[in-house]
Amino acid sequence: MDWQGQKLAEQLMQILLLASAVVAFASGYAFGSFQTMLLTYTSGVVVTTLITVPNWPFFNRHPLKWLDPIEAEKHPKPQTASSSSKKKASKK
């Protein structure tokens, strides 16, 4: 799953859970049954899970291009200075 796919999955999860909560509340209120409300919401959570958890192809529309190992060796990672040497330099 790529970065845009993760964002899409998160947005779908939020929208579907909110929609199932609204439908569950309305059905529970209309039937006057707490059990109906819970069953409706539970089914919404299951549907949301089935849509957002698996790695569906529409979550992979923007694949990342990784750097080849040979190219990575040609361009070594820059070395960062340790924080203790910066502190000592600033105290002087």
Side-chain angles (χ1 to χ4, degrees):
M1 184 179 294
D2 56 31
W3 295 108
Q4 281 98 1
Q6 288 180 8
K7 183 178 179 181
L8 177 62
E10 177 74 21
Q11 289 174 341
L12 279 174
M13 181 208 55
Q14 291 176 356
I15 290 168
L16 291 173
L17 286 178
L18 181 64
S20 65
V22 170
V23 170
F25 179 78
S27 65
Y29 187 78
F31 291 113
S33 171
F34 188 72
Q35 182 180 7
T36 302
M37 182 187 71
L38 284 179
L39 289 174
T40 305
Y41 185 70
T42 303
S43 63
V45 169
V46 169
V47 167
T48 300
T49 302
L50 291 174
I51 291 174
T52 59
V53 170
N55 192 12
W56 297 106
F58 62 88
F59 291 136
N60 293 318
R61 291 184 182 163
H62 307 282
L64 297 175
K65 185 174 179 336
W66 291 88
L67 192 61
D68 292 329
I70 297 170
E71 288 293 321
E73 290 174 1
K74 290 179 183 176
H75 307 286
K77 186 176 178 181
Q79 298 294 326
T80 58
S82 65
S83 62
S84 62
S85 65
K86 288 182 182 178
K87 289 180 183 176
K88 290 178 183 177
S90 64
K91 288 182 181 179
K92 291 181 180 179

